[in-house]
Amino acid sequence: MDLGIFIDVVLPVILIFAGGYVLQWFKLLDVKSVSAVCIYLFVPCLVFTNIYEARFDEGFLMIILFAGVLFLALISVNKLCTKLFKLGPSTESALILSTAFMNAGNFGVPIMLFSFGESILPYAVFFMVVQNVIMNTAGVYFASRSGTGAGMGIKSIFRLPAIYAVVAALLFKSASITIPGQFYQSLELVGQGAIPLLMIVLGMQLANIRTFRLNWRMIGLGSLIRLGISPVIALLLIQVFRLDPMISMLFIVIASMPSAATTTLLAVEYDAEPELVSSITLATTLLSIVTLSILLTVGI
């Protein structure tokens, strides 16, 4: 592992996470309120400005295709593990939530920005939006495993402000509408605050994981799938699709991200073994400090 990569790329992100973690540990703030400000104001501005300024190419289409194929592949891996280890339905749901949904937003976007610069930011932001759509549909379904799961998931898509930001940006681009300078500067200013706020929110979410059952067997299995098998699948996929080097690196790094912290909320809401999901989320987040440093060293 290159210590320089860790200091220049990973450590700054971890320090901001730690700031949110410490703040939440001592102040016990309402994470939902802070998260709502981020999701409904800061992130839509970030999404809109990046999509509006982006020059669309096949990379954006490949992101949709890659995210879908990777998700299906990880579901298949989880199904295989369920049969091999004779796991129950609730444990299977917990593993799927912990391994099929990576932290493409709070963790993925800043890591990609710090690693490869602003040129990759539109792709990373777009991947975050696609991942949120999958999580708010398939994630809700696997968490609930009820007849209403899919319907609730579809309805939840229309509560995602980032979706409307993407649509608005595409409409403005297609119609060649120029946004007044003062208004656009306001959007940019708020959007620039989204990335640090996303990281702080993740730190606060992790601070709320205070009690969990240490099922080391399942924690180890979940960590292996999320941090080991997922990037291997991504590596195989980019060999098949023969992508641009920057997009290829985006896919590998994003596929190597830890479990999405928001899956813990789904597990709690639908009683899909929330302690196990929380344990895997925390474990993969800590382990990813090492795995991502190694991956970025090799990749760069």
Side-chain angles (χ1 to χ4, degrees), residues 104-162:
N106 305 68
F107 211 146
V109 170
I111 284 291
M112 295 307 301
L113 176 62
F114 285 17
S115 300
F116 305 105
E118 293 188 0
S119 60
I120 205 169
L121 192 57
Y123 298 109
V125 169
F126 188 71
F127 198 110
M128 175 186 69
V129 174
V130 173
Q131 172 71 5
N132 281 336
V133 171
I134 297 175
M135 191 184 308
N136 282 273
T137 50
V140 171
Y141 168 75
F142 283 109
S144 63
R145 290 295 180 96
S146 66
T148 59
M152 292 175 62
I154 293 172
K155 290 179 181 179
S156 67
I157 291 180
F158 297 100
R159 295 197 296 266
L160 289 175

Short mmCIF file of all heavy atoms in Angstrom, two decimals, residues 104-162:
data_model
loop_
_atom_site.label_atom_id
_atom_site.label_comp_id
_atom_site.label_asym_id
_atom_site.label_seq_id
_atom_site.Cartn_x
_atom_site.Cartn_y
_atom_site.Cartn_z
N ALA A 104 -22.14 4.41 -2.86
CA ALA A 104 -21.69 5.15 -4.04
C ALA A 104 -21.75 6.66 -3.84
O ALA A 104 -21.12 7.41 -4.58
CB ALA A 104 -22.52 4.76 -5.26
N GLY A 105 -22.52 7.13 -2.84
CA GLY A 105 -22.70 8.55 -2.63
C GLY A 105 -21.80 9.13 -1.56
O GLY A 105 -20.83 9.84 -1.86
N ASN A 106 -22.09 8.82 -0.30
CA ASN A 106 -21.34 9.39 0.82
C ASN A 106 -19.85 9.10 0.73
O ASN A 106 -19.02 9.91 1.12
CB ASN A 106 -21.85 8.84 2.15
CG ASN A 106 -23.33 9.02 2.34
OD1 ASN A 106 -24.12 8.41 1.64
ND2 ASN A 106 -23.71 9.86 3.29
N PHE A 107 -19.50 7.91 0.25
CA PHE A 107 -18.11 7.48 0.19
C PHE A 107 -17.57 7.53 -1.24
O PHE A 107 -16.47 8.03 -1.50
CB PHE A 107 -18.00 6.05 0.73
CG PHE A 107 -16.70 5.74 1.39
CD1 PHE A 107 -16.64 4.88 2.47
CD2 PHE A 107 -15.51 6.29 0.94
CE1 PHE A 107 -15.44 4.56 3.10
CE2 PHE A 107 -14.29 5.99 1.56
CZ PHE A 107 -14.26 5.13 2.64
N GLY A 108 -18.35 7.02 -2.18
CA GLY A 108 -17.88 6.87 -3.54
C GLY A 108 -17.55 8.18 -4.24
O GLY A 108 -16.49 8.33 -4.87
N VAL A 109 -18.45 9.16 -4.15
CA VAL A 109 -18.25 10.43 -4.84
C VAL A 109 -16.99 11.15 -4.34
O VAL A 109 -16.15 11.56 -5.16
CB VAL A 109 -19.50 11.33 -4.71
CG1 VAL A 109 -19.19 12.75 -5.21
CG2 VAL A 109 -20.66 10.74 -5.50
N PRO A 110 -16.80 11.33 -3.02
CA PRO A 110 -15.57 12.02 -2.59
C PRO A 110 -14.29 11.27 -2.92
O PRO A 110 -13.29 11.89 -3.28
CB PRO A 110 -15.76 12.16 -1.06
CG PRO A 110 -16.82 11.20 -0.70
CD PRO A 110 -17.70 11.07 -1.88
N ILE A 111 -14.31 9.93 -2.81
CA ILE A 111 -13.11 9.16 -3.15
C ILE A 111 -12.76 9.34 -4.62
O ILE A 111 -11.59 9.53 -4.99
CB ILE A 111 -13.31 7.67 -2.82
CG1 ILE A 111 -13.22 7.42 -1.32
CG2 ILE A 111 -12.27 6.81 -3.54
CD1 ILE A 111 -11.84 7.61 -0.73
N MET A 112 -13.76 9.28 -5.50
CA MET A 112 -13.51 9.46 -6.92
C MET A 112 -13.01 10.87 -7.21
O MET A 112 -12.11 11.07 -8.03
CB MET A 112 -14.79 9.19 -7.72
CG MET A 112 -15.29 7.75 -7.65
SD MET A 112 -14.07 6.49 -8.09
CE MET A 112 -13.66 6.97 -9.75
N LEU A 113 -13.59 11.86 -6.54
CA LEU A 113 -13.17 13.25 -6.74
C LEU A 113 -11.73 13.46 -6.30
O LEU A 113 -10.93 14.05 -7.02
CB LEU A 113 -14.10 14.19 -5.96
CG LEU A 113 -13.75 15.69 -6.00
CD1 LEU A 113 -13.80 16.22 -7.42
CD2 LEU A 113 -14.69 16.46 -5.09
N PHE A 114 -11.38 12.94 -5.12
CA PHE A 114 -10.04 13.12 -4.59
C PHE A 114 -9.01 12.32 -5.39
O PHE A 114 -7.85 12.71 -5.48
CB PHE A 114 -9.98 12.70 -3.12
CG PHE A 114 -10.61 13.69 -2.18
CD1 PHE A 114 -11.47 14.66 -2.63
CD2 PHE A 114 -10.35 13.62 -0.82
CE1 PHE A 114 -12.06 15.57 -1.76
CE2 PHE A 114 -10.93 14.52 0.07
CZ PHE A 114 -11.79 15.50 -0.41
N SER A 115 -9.45 11.21 -5.99
CA SER A 115 -8.53 10.33 -6.71
C SER A 115 -8.27 10.81 -8.14
O SER A 115 -7.12 10.80 -8.60
CB SER A 115 -9.08 8.90 -6.76
OG SER A 115 -9.26 8.38 -5.47
N PHE A 116 -9.34 11.21 -8.84
CA PHE A 116 -9.22 11.45 -10.28
C PHE A 116 -9.61 12.86 -10.71
O PHE A 116 -9.58 13.16 -11.90
CB PHE A 116 -10.06 10.42 -11.04
CG PHE A 116 -9.71 9.00 -10.68
CD1 PHE A 116 -10.56 8.25 -9.87
CD2 PHE A 116 -8.54 8.43 -11.12
CE1 PHE A 116 -10.24 6.95 -9.52
CE2 PHE A 116 -8.21 7.13 -10.78
CZ PHE A 116 -9.06 6.39 -9.99
N GLY A 117 -10.02 13.70 -9.78
CA GLY A 117 -10.31 15.08 -10.12
C GLY A 117 -11.74 15.31 -10.59
O GLY A 117 -12.55 14.39 -10.65
N GLU A 118 -12.03 16.55 -10.94
CA GLU A 118 -13.40 16.95 -11.27
C GLU A 118 -13.90 16.37 -12.58
O GLU A 118 -15.11 16.33 -12.81
CB GLU A 118 -13.49 18.47 -11.31
CG GLU A 118 -13.28 19.14 -9.95
CD GLU A 118 -13.57 20.63 -9.98
OE1 GLU A 118 -13.93 21.13 -11.07
OE2 GLU A 118 -13.44 21.28 -8.93
N SER A 119 -13.02 15.91 -13.45
CA SER A 119 -13.45 15.37 -14.74
C SER A 119 -14.30 14.11 -14.58
O SER A 119 -15.14 13.82 -15.43
CB SER A 119 -12.24 15.05 -15.62
OG SER A 119 -11.39 14.09 -15.00
N ILE A 120 -14.11 13.39 -13.50
CA ILE A 120 -14.86 12.15 -13.30
C ILE A 120 -16.12 12.39 -12.47
O ILE A 120 -16.96 11.49 -12.35
CB ILE A 120 -13.98 11.10 -12.60
CG1 ILE A 120 -14.47 9.68 -12.92
CG2 ILE A 120 -13.92 11.31 -11.09
CD1 ILE A 120 -13.52 8.59 -12.49
N LEU A 121 -16.27 13.59 -11.93
CA LEU A 121 -17.39 13.88 -11.02
C LEU A 121 -18.76 13.66 -11.65
O LEU A 121 -19.64 13.07 -11.00
CB LEU A 121 -17.26 15.30 -10.47
CG LEU A 121 -18.17 15.66 -9.29
CD1 LEU A 121 -17.95 14.69 -8.13
CD2 LEU A 121 -17.90 17.08 -8.83
N PRO A 122 -19.03 14.10 -12.90
CA PRO A 122 -20.36 13.85 -13.47
C PRO A 122 -20.72 12.36 -13.52
O PRO A 122 -21.87 11.99 -13.27
CB PRO A 122 -20.26 14.45 -14.87
CG PRO A 122 -19.20 15.49 -14.76
CD PRO A 122 -18.21 14.93 -13.79
N TYR A 123 -19.74 11.53 -13.86
CA TYR A 123 -20.00 10.09 -13.91
C TYR A 123 -20.27 9.52 -12.52
O TYR A 123 -21.17 8.71 -12.33
CB TYR A 123 -18.80 9.36 -14.53
CG TYR A 123 -18.48 9.76 -15.95
CD1 TYR A 123 -17.35 10.51 -16.23
CD2 TYR A 123 -19.31 9.41 -17.00
CE1 TYR A 123 -17.05 10.88 -17.53
CE2 TYR A 123 -19.02 9.78 -18.31
CZ TYR A 123 -17.88 10.51 -18.57
OH TYR A 123 -17.59 10.88 -19.85
N ALA A 124 -19.48 9.96 -11.53
CA ALA A 124 -19.66 9.48 -10.17
C ALA A 124 -21.01 9.90 -9.60
O ALA A 124 -21.69 9.12 -8.93
CB ALA A 124 -18.53 10.00 -9.27
N VAL A 125 -21.41 11.14 -9.89
CA VAL A 125 -22.71 11.64 -9.42
C VAL A 125 -23.85 10.88 -10.09
O VAL A 125 -24.84 10.52 -9.44
CB VAL A 125 -22.83 13.16 -9.68
CG1 VAL A 125 -24.26 13.63 -9.46
CG2 VAL A 125 -21.87 13.93 -8.78
N PHE A 126 -23.70 10.62 -11.39
CA PHE A 126 -24.74 9.88 -12.11
C PHE A 126 -24.85 8.45 -11.58
O PHE A 126 -25.96 7.92 -11.43
CB PHE A 126 -24.43 9.86 -13.60
CG PHE A 126 -25.53 9.29 -14.45
CD1 PHE A 126 -26.72 9.97 -14.63
CD2 PHE A 126 -25.39 8.05 -15.05
CE1 PHE A 126 -27.75 9.45 -15.39
CE2 PHE A 126 -26.40 7.52 -15.82
CZ PHE A 126 -27.59 8.21 -16.00
N PHE A 127 -23.72 7.83 -11.27
CA PHE A 127 -23.75 6.49 -10.68
C PHE A 127 -24.48 6.50 -9.34
O PHE A 127 -25.24 5.59 -9.02
CB PHE A 127 -22.33 5.94 -10.50
CG PHE A 127 -22.27 4.45 -10.31
CD1 PHE A 127 -21.75 3.64 -11.30
CD2 PHE A 127 -22.73 3.84 -9.14
CE1 PHE A 127 -21.69 2.26 -11.14
CE2 PHE A 127 -22.68 2.47 -8.97
CZ PHE A 127 -22.18 1.68 -9.98
N MET A 128 -24.25 7.55 -8.56
CA MET A 128 -24.93 7.68 -7.27
C MET A 128 -26.44 7.72 -7.46
O MET A 128 -27.18 7.07 -6.70
CB MET A 128 -24.46 8.96 -6.57
CG MET A 128 -25.18 9.28 -5.28
SD MET A 128 -24.70 10.89 -4.57
CE MET A 128 -25.41 12.02 -5.79
N VAL A 129 -26.90 8.45 -8.47
CA VAL A 129 -28.34 8.54 -8.74
C VAL A 129 -28.88 7.17 -9.15
O VAL A 129 -29.93 6.73 -8.65
CB VAL A 129 -28.62 9.58 -9.83
CG1 VAL A 129 -30.10 9.57 -10.20
CG2 VAL A 129 -28.21 10.97 -9.36
N VAL A 130 -28.19 6.48 -10.06
CA VAL A 130 -28.63 5.16 -10.50
C VAL A 130 -28.68 4.18 -9.33
O VAL A 130 -29.63 3.42 -9.18
CB VAL A 130 -27.69 4.62 -11.61
CG1 VAL A 130 -28.04 3.18 -11.97
CG2 VAL A 130 -27.77 5.51 -12.84
N GLN A 131 -27.65 4.24 -8.48
CA GLN A 131 -27.60 3.36 -7.32
C GLN A 131 -28.77 3.63 -6.37
O GLN A 131 -29.36 2.71 -5.80
CB GLN A 131 -26.27 3.54 -6.58
CG GLN A 131 -26.15 2.82 -5.26
CD GLN A 131 -26.05 1.31 -5.41
OE1 GLN A 131 -25.96 0.80 -6.52
NE2 GLN A 131 -26.06 0.60 -4.31
N ASN A 132 -29.12 4.91 -6.19
CA ASN A 132 -30.24 5.25 -5.32
C ASN A 132 -31.56 4.73 -5.87
O ASN A 132 -32.43 4.30 -5.10
CB ASN A 132 -30.32 6.77 -5.15
CG ASN A 132 -29.31 7.29 -4.15
OD1 ASN A 132 -28.86 6.56 -3.28
ND2 ASN A 132 -28.93 8.55 -4.29
N VAL A 133 -31.70 4.75 -7.19
CA VAL A 133 -32.92 4.21 -7.80
C VAL A 133 -33.02 2.71 -7.53
O VAL A 133 -34.08 2.20 -7.14
CB VAL A 133 -32.94 4.49 -9.32
CG1 VAL A 133 -34.09 3.73 -9.98
CG2 VAL A 133 -33.08 5.97 -9.59
N ILE A 134 -31.92 2.00 -7.72
CA ILE A 134 -31.92 0.55 -7.48
C ILE A 134 -32.20 0.25 -6.01
O ILE A 134 -32.98 -0.64 -5.67
CB ILE A 134 -30.58 -0.07 -7.90
CG1 ILE A 134 -30.35 0.10 -9.40
CG2 ILE A 134 -30.52 -1.56 -7.53
CD1 ILE A 134 -28.99 -0.38 -9.89
N MET A 135 -31.58 1.03 -5.13
CA MET A 135 -31.75 0.79 -3.69
C MET A 135 -33.17 1.06 -3.23
O MET A 135 -33.70 0.37 -2.36
CB MET A 135 -30.77 1.67 -2.90
CG MET A 135 -30.68 1.31 -1.42
SD MET A 135 -29.59 2.44 -0.51
CE MET A 135 -28.11 2.38 -1.48
N ASN A 136 -33.81 2.08 -3.83
CA ASN A 136 -35.16 2.44 -3.42
C ASN A 136 -36.23 1.60 -4.09
O ASN A 136 -37.42 1.82 -3.86
CB ASN A 136 -35.41 3.93 -3.69
CG ASN A 136 -34.77 4.80 -2.63
OD1 ASN A 136 -35.36 5.09 -1.60
ND2 ASN A 136 -33.55 5.23 -2.88
N THR A 137 -35.83 0.67 -4.95
CA THR A 137 -36.79 -0.27 -5.53
C THR A 137 -36.45 -1.69 -5.07
O THR A 137 -37.15 -2.24 -4.22
CB THR A 137 -36.76 -0.19 -7.07
OG1 THR A 137 -35.41 -0.28 -7.54
CG2 THR A 137 -37.38 1.09 -7.55
N ALA A 138 -35.37 -2.22 -5.59
CA ALA A 138 -34.98 -3.59 -5.24
C ALA A 138 -34.62 -3.69 -3.75
O ALA A 138 -34.91 -4.70 -3.11
CB ALA A 138 -33.80 -4.04 -6.10
N GLY A 139 -33.99 -2.63 -3.20
CA GLY A 139 -33.63 -2.66 -1.79
C GLY A 139 -34.84 -2.76 -0.89
O GLY A 139 -34.86 -3.55 0.07
N VAL A 140 -35.85 -1.98 -1.20
CA VAL A 140 -37.10 -2.05 -0.43
C VAL A 140 -37.74 -3.42 -0.58
O VAL A 140 -38.24 -4.00 0.40
CB VAL A 140 -38.07 -0.94 -0.88
CG1 VAL A 140 -39.45 -1.13 -0.24
CG2 VAL A 140 -37.51 0.43 -0.53
N TYR A 141 -37.71 -3.97 -1.79
CA TYR A 141 -38.31 -5.29 -2.01
C TYR A 141 -37.62 -6.36 -1.18
O TYR A 141 -38.28 -7.15 -0.49
CB TYR A 141 -38.24 -5.66 -3.49
CG TYR A 141 -38.59 -7.11 -3.74
CD1 TYR A 141 -39.91 -7.54 -3.69
CD2 TYR A 141 -37.59 -8.03 -3.99
CE1 TYR A 141 -40.23 -8.88 -3.89
CE2 TYR A 141 -37.90 -9.37 -4.20
CZ TYR A 141 -39.22 -9.79 -4.14
OH TYR A 141 -39.52 -11.11 -4.34
N PHE A 142 -36.29 -6.42 -1.23
CA PHE A 142 -35.57 -7.47 -0.50
C PHE A 142 -35.64 -7.26 1.01
O PHE A 142 -35.57 -8.21 1.78
CB PHE A 142 -34.11 -7.52 -0.96
CG PHE A 142 -33.92 -8.21 -2.28
CD1 PHE A 142 -33.58 -7.49 -3.41
CD2 PHE A 142 -34.10 -9.58 -2.39
CE1 PHE A 142 -33.42 -8.12 -4.63
CE2 PHE A 142 -33.95 -10.22 -3.61
CZ PHE A 142 -33.60 -9.49 -4.74
N ALA A 143 -35.77 -6.01 1.45
CA ALA A 143 -35.90 -5.75 2.88
C ALA A 143 -37.26 -6.20 3.40
O ALA A 143 -37.39 -6.74 4.49
CB ALA A 143 -35.68 -4.27 3.18
N SER A 144 -38.30 -5.97 2.59
CA SER A 144 -39.66 -6.27 3.05
C SER A 144 -40.10 -7.69 2.70
O SER A 144 -40.79 -8.35 3.47
CB SER A 144 -40.64 -5.26 2.44
OG SER A 144 -40.66 -5.37 1.03
N ARG A 145 -39.73 -8.14 1.48
CA ARG A 145 -40.12 -9.46 1.00
C ARG A 145 -41.61 -9.69 1.14
O ARG A 145 -42.08 -10.79 1.47
CB ARG A 145 -39.36 -10.57 1.75
CG ARG A 145 -37.90 -10.64 1.44
CD ARG A 145 -37.67 -11.02 0.00
NE ARG A 145 -36.25 -11.08 -0.32
CZ ARG A 145 -35.56 -12.22 -0.30
NH1 ARG A 145 -36.12 -13.36 0.00
NH2 ARG A 145 -34.27 -12.20 -0.62
N SER A 146 -42.38 -8.63 0.93
CA SER A 146 -43.83 -8.76 1.03
C SER A 146 -44.44 -8.39 -0.31
O SER A 146 -43.77 -7.91 -1.23
CB SER A 146 -44.39 -7.82 2.11
OG SER A 146 -44.20 -6.48 1.75
N GLY A 147 -45.71 -8.57 -0.44
CA GLY A 147 -46.38 -8.27 -1.70
C GLY A 147 -46.37 -6.80 -2.03
O GLY A 147 -46.50 -6.42 -3.19
N THR A 148 -46.20 -5.96 -1.01
CA THR A 148 -46.20 -4.51 -1.25
C THR A 148 -44.80 -3.95 -1.42
O THR A 148 -44.63 -2.77 -1.66
CB THR A 148 -46.87 -3.78 -0.06
OG1 THR A 148 -46.14 -4.09 1.14
CG2 THR A 148 -48.30 -4.23 0.10
N GLY A 149 -43.78 -4.83 -1.27
CA GLY A 149 -42.40 -4.35 -1.32
C GLY A 149 -42.06 -3.63 -2.60
O GLY A 149 -41.53 -2.53 -2.60
N ALA A 150 -42.36 -4.26 -3.75
CA ALA A 150 -42.03 -3.66 -5.04
C ALA A 150 -42.80 -2.36 -5.26
O ALA A 150 -42.26 -1.37 -5.74
CB ALA A 150 -42.33 -4.65 -6.16
N GLY A 151 -44.08 -2.36 -4.89
CA GLY A 151 -44.89 -1.15 -5.06
C GLY A 151 -44.38 0.00 -4.23
O GLY A 151 -44.32 1.14 -4.70
N MET A 152 -44.00 -0.29 -2.99
CA MET A 152 -43.46 0.75 -2.13
C MET A 152 -42.16 1.28 -2.69
O MET A 152 -41.86 2.48 -2.61
CB MET A 152 -43.26 0.20 -0.71
CG MET A 152 -44.55 -0.13 0.02
SD MET A 152 -44.23 -0.91 1.62
CE MET A 152 -43.34 0.38 2.46
N GLY A 153 -41.37 0.37 -3.26
CA GLY A 153 -40.10 0.79 -3.84
C GLY A 153 -40.29 1.72 -5.01
O GLY A 153 -39.60 2.74 -5.14
N ILE A 154 -41.24 1.40 -5.89
CA ILE A 154 -41.50 2.24 -7.05
C ILE A 154 -41.99 3.62 -6.62
O ILE A 154 -41.58 4.65 -7.16
CB ILE A 154 -42.54 1.57 -7.97
CG1 ILE A 154 -41.93 0.31 -8.60
CG2 ILE A 154 -43.00 2.53 -9.06
CD1 ILE A 154 -42.91 -0.54 -9.38
N LYS A 155 -42.87 3.65 -5.61
CA LYS A 155 -43.35 4.94 -5.11
C LYS A 155 -42.21 5.76 -4.52
O LYS A 155 -42.19 6.99 -4.64
CB LYS A 155 -44.43 4.71 -4.04
CG LYS A 155 -45.74 4.16 -4.60
CD LYS A 155 -46.74 3.95 -3.46
CE LYS A 155 -48.06 3.39 -3.99
NZ LYS A 155 -49.04 3.15 -2.91
N SER A 156 -41.25 5.07 -3.88
CA SER A 156 -40.16 5.81 -3.23
C SER A 156 -39.26 6.50 -4.23
O SER A 156 -38.58 7.48 -3.90
CB SER A 156 -39.34 4.86 -2.34
OG SER A 156 -38.64 3.91 -3.13
N ILE A 157 -39.22 5.98 -5.49
CA ILE A 157 -38.41 6.64 -6.52
C ILE A 157 -38.86 8.08 -6.72
O ILE A 157 -38.04 8.99 -6.87
CB ILE A 157 -38.50 5.87 -7.86
CG1 ILE A 157 -37.80 4.52 -7.75
CG2 ILE A 157 -37.87 6.67 -8.99
CD1 ILE A 157 -37.86 3.72 -9.02
N PHE A 158 -40.16 8.27 -6.70
CA PHE A 158 -40.70 9.60 -6.98
C PHE A 158 -40.53 10.55 -5.80
O PHE A 158 -40.90 11.72 -5.89
CB PHE A 158 -42.18 9.48 -7.37
CG PHE A 158 -42.38 8.70 -8.64
CD1 PHE A 158 -42.77 7.38 -8.61
CD2 PHE A 158 -42.16 9.30 -9.86
CE1 PHE A 158 -42.95 6.66 -9.77
CE2 PHE A 158 -42.33 8.60 -11.04
CZ PHE A 158 -42.73 7.27 -11.00
N ARG A 159 -39.96 10.04 -4.69
CA ARG A 159 -39.62 10.91 -3.57
C ARG A 159 -38.14 11.28 -3.57
O ARG A 159 -37.67 11.94 -2.65
CB ARG A 159 -39.99 10.22 -2.24
CG ARG A 159 -41.49 10.00 -2.06
CD ARG A 159 -41.84 9.71 -0.60
NE ARG A 159 -41.26 8.48 -0.14
CZ ARG A 159 -41.87 7.31 -0.15
NH1 ARG A 159 -43.10 7.22 -0.63
NH2 ARG A 159 -41.28 6.21 0.30
N LEU A 160 -37.41 10.83 -4.61
CA LEU A 160 -35.99 11.14 -4.71
C LEU A 160 -35.79 12.44 -5.49
O LEU A 160 -35.99 12.49 -6.70
CB LEU A 160 -35.24 10.01 -5.42
CG LEU A 160 -35.08 8.69 -4.67
CD1 LEU A 160 -34.44 7.65 -5.57
CD2 LEU A 160 -34.27 8.88 -3.40
N PRO A 161 -35.38 13.52 -4.83
CA PRO A 161 -35.20 14.80 -5.53
C PRO A 161 -34.15 14.71 -6.62
O PRO A 161 -34.23 15.45 -7.61
CB PRO A 161 -34.76 15.74 -4.40
CG PRO A 161 -35.18 15.08 -3.14
CD PRO A 161 -35.12 13.62 -3.40
N ALA A 162 -33.14 13.85 -6.44
CA ALA A 162 -32.07 13.74 -7.43
C ALA A 162 -32.61 13.32 -8.79
O ALA A 162 -32.07 13.72 -9.84
CB ALA A 162 -31.00 12.76 -6.96
#
